[in-house]
């Protein structure tokens, strides 16, 4: 029987997850990336695999499957990763109430629990002690250094599954079974478009008719901590609980949202919630904001970064808070509440997109689920 072939456009996390799912099922896979290496949203993030933010059911199942695949790849390929979980910190009674309700409602679905201030300080030395009422601990969250991990996963797929990568190759037209870059052409049985918002250039009508928009985020990185001092788990403030849909299981969440609307109106306006993760070099990645629309300016807004840094100080303190980098990124985001966008614009061609800010968390699990049903 002839081996099936697949072409994938885009070597970010969605393209890599699609390549793995197909190659592990016996496909000969070729991946095309327009740049010398991936430089889009897949490397401009926290590196978080974040099940705590996914609602129980399909989303959480996909997140946990992604986590297991990430761990398998990182272990086999020697990719740095951290499995120290996450910690949401409470400084107001209404924040603690939401965490308590979440821990109780989700106890059957995930390993998380409410901690006392003393227990919080036993697992992290980075929590702001003044006013600390407690925290929500979850063991499932995992961190990779996205900037290195994405390239390393590509190398892993090339070595283990003979996936072929073509960098610096802009696919300008798709006409199944062919894709072309200028005068050069390749063909495959199936074609997958996994190029983030770039799929707009290949299928503009599909993009315009989809319930999809673009989201610009701003993030920063702080200096490596002296003597490799560790913060332990990734840390979050209360604003993260109104950002992630999983916390809607808490009946008192609307009251928390009401207070935040009054006290943090500017944060809500710019979609700001604040988290911090630490990479293998002891550097701290912090963010982020969310601006939605089809067109975004390319510039960082200084006041947004200041808002993020100001809020960060309400729940975290570090040995060295020197700012060494800031950047922005853009990803595709569904506007209908869905967490992925899969469509077939023509026979033999599939667009896989729209995981928003959860690409690192969902991509491996989502593609594995999708191809297991085909």
């Amino acid at each position: 029987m002839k081996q099936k072939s697949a072409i994938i456009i885009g070597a970010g996390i969605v393209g890599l997850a699609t390549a793995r799912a197909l190659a592990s099922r016996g496909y000969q896979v070729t991946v095309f990336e327009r740049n010398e290496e991936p430089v889009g949203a897949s490397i401009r993030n926290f590196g978080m695999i974040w099940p705590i933010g996914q609602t129980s059911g399909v989303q959480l199942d996909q997140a946990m499957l992604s986590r297991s695949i990430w761990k398998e790849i990182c272990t086999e390929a020697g990719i740095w990763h951290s499995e120290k979980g996450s910690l949401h910190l409470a400084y107001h009674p209404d924040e603690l109430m939401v965490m308590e309700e979440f821990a109780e409602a989700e106890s059957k679905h995930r390993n998380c629990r409410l901690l006392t201030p003393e227990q919080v300080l036993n697992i992290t030395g980075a929590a702001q002690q003044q006013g600390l009422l407690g925290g929500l601990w979850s063991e499932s969250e995992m961190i990779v250094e996205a900037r290195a991990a994405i390239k390393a996963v590509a190398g892993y797929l090339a070595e283990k599954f003979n996936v072929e990568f073509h960098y610096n190759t802009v696919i300008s037209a798709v006409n199944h079974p062919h894709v072309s870059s200028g005068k050069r052409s390749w063909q495959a049985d199936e074609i997958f478009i996994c190029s983030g918002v770039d799929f707009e250039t290949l299928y503009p009508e599909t993009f315009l008719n989809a319930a999809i928009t673009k989201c610009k985020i701003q993030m920063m990185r702080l200096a490596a901590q002296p003597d490799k001092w560790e913060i332990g788990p990734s840390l979050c403030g209360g604003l993260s609980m109104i950002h992630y849909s999983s916390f809607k299981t808490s009946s008192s969440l609307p009251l928390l949202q009401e207070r935040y609307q009054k006290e943090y109106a500017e944060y809500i306006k710019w979609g700001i919630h604040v988290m911090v993760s630490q990479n293998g070099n002891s550097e701290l990645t912090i963010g982020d904001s969310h601006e939605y629309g089809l067109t975004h300016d390319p510039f960082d807004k200084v006041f947004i970064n200041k808002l993020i840094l100001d809020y960060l100080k309400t729940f975290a303190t570090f040995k060295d808070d020197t700012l060494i980098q800031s950047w922005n990124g853009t990803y595709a985001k569904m506007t209908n509440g869905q967490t992925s966008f899969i469509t077939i614009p023509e026979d033999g061609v599939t667009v896989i997109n729209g995981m928003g800010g959860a690409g690192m968390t969902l991509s491996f699990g989502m593609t594995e689920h999708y191809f297991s049903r085909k």
Side-chain angles (χ1 to χ4, degrees):
M1 180 181 296
K2 179 180 177 292
Q3 183 182 25
K4 286 188 175 181
S5 59
I7 283 174
I8 297 171
I9 301 173
I13 184 57
V14 179
L16 295 176
T18 302
R20 179 203 165 274
L22 289 167
S24 66
R25 288 166 171 78
Y27 278 72
Q28 176 56 53
V29 178
T30 304
V31 179
F32 293 89
E33 167 60 43
R34 67 186 305 157
N35 298 300
E36 288 185 4
E37 58 186 52
V39 294
S42 294
I43 70 159
R44 305 187 192 193
N45 58 68
F46 291 97
M48 291 174 170
I49 294 84
W50 205 248
I52 190 72
Q54 309 307 311
T55 56
S56 300
V58 174
Q59 288 182 31
L60 181 57
D61 290 345
Q62 290 181 355
M64 293 305 293
L65 178 56
S66 283
R67 187 192 189 282
S68 68
I69 294 171
W70 266 113
K71 184 174 180 179
E72 175 186 320
I73 293 174
C74 288
T75 301
E76 291 186 16
I79 299 170
W80 178 87
H81 60 290
S82 172
E83 300 177 76
K84 295 184 178 178
S86 67
L87 186 58
H88 289 72
L89 298 168
Y91 293 87
H92 296 270
D94 52 1
E95 294 171 342
L96 193 65
M97 179 63 71
V98 170
M99 294 178 191
E100 183 177 2
E101 292 172 350
F102 180 89
E104 182 176 355
E106 294 291 313
S107 60
K108 296 180 181 178
H109 307 295
R110 56 184 101 216
N111 190 354
C112 64
R113 65 184 186 275
L114 197 68
L115 301 184
T116 65
E118 293 75 18
Q119 290 171 322
V120 166
L121 298 176
N122 281 336
I123 63 174
T124 179
Q128 175 62 254
Q129 296 186 35
Q130 185 174 357
L132 178 65
L133 299 180
L136 176 69
W137 157 253
S138 169
E139 73 164 13
S140 299
E141 288 63 56
M142 175 177 163
I143 300 296
V144 298
E145 171 55 289
R147 303 175 190 189
I150 294 298
K151 290 187 286 186
V153 171
Y156 166 85
L157 295 176
E159 181 175 347
K160 182 169 184 175
F161 295 109
N162 294 314
V163 174
E164 184 178 332
F165 287 84
H166 292 263
Y167 293 98
N168 272 335
T169 306
V170 178
I171 299 301
S172 54
V174 176
N175 185 13
H176 184 265
H178 298 92
V179 302
S180 59
S181 178
K183 295 180 179 180
R184 295 179 294 168
S185 181
W186 300 263
Q187 69 178 67
D189 298 315
E190 299 180 43
I191 299 168
F192 296 88
I193 315 296
C194 305
S195 51
V197 293
D198 284 349
F199 95 85
E200 177 184 16
T201 63
L202 292 172
Y203 290 97
E205 291 182 354
T206 301
F207 183 87
L208 286 175
N209 292 329
I212 199 167
T213 189
K214 300 174 187 178
C215 177
K216 175 187 175 183
I217 63 171
Q218 285 187 204
M219 301 188 67
M220 290 167 279
R221 179 159 287 185
L222 304 185
Q225 298 302 290
D227 302 318
K228 296 185 177 180
W229 178 76
E230 295 185 1
I231 68 170
S234 297
L235 305 178
C236 311
L239 282 171
S240 294
M241 295 190 294
I242 69 169
H243 178 79
Y244 287 108
S245 58
S246 56
F247 285 92
K248 291 180 180 178
T249 57
S250 301
S251 60
S252 58
L253 185 67
L255 292 176
L256 181 63
Q257 289 175 313
E258 184 178 346
R259 177 170 72 83
Y260 283 165
Q261 287 283 359
K262 296 176 182 177
E263 297 182 12
Y264 293 105
E266 197 73 358
Y267 286 80
I268 305 300
K269 176 182 176 180
W270 295 101
I272 295 172
H273 73 113
V274 183
M275 315 164 78
V276 54
S277 66
Q278 189 169 33
N279 66 19
N281 297 323
S282 295
E283 297 165 334
L284 302 174
T285 305
I286 61 175
D288 57 356
S289 59
H290 300 80
E291 299 176 61
Y292 300 101
L294 293 179
T295 303
H296 296 285
D297 64 67
F299 311 110
D300 285 353
K301 296 178 174 64
V302 174
F303 75 88
I304 284 181
N305 286 347
K306 185 178 186 306
L307 288 171
I308 292 171
L309 290 168
D310 287 347
Y311 188 82
L312 179 68
K313 293 175 183 177
T314 68
F315 69 86
T317 180
F318 311 118
K319 301 291 186 182
D320 187 345
D321 59 3
T322 303
L323 179 65
I324 60 172
Q325 291 177 338
S326 67
W327 66 91
N328 65 71
T330 305
Y331 57 71
K333 168 75 174 178
M334 302 302 295
T335 58
N336 59 4
Q338 300 297 310
T339 55
S340 63
F341 175 70
I342 301 178
T343 191
I344 300 174
E346 62 175 289
D347 289 344
V349 179
T350 304
V351 174
I352 303 179
N353 209 301
M355 274 165 278
M360 299 290 279
T361 299
L362 295 177
S363 293
F364 282 122
M366 187 276 288
T367 52
E368 189 66 22
H369 277 186
Y370 177 72
F371 289 108
S372 68
R373 297 194 305 266
K374 285 194 69 176

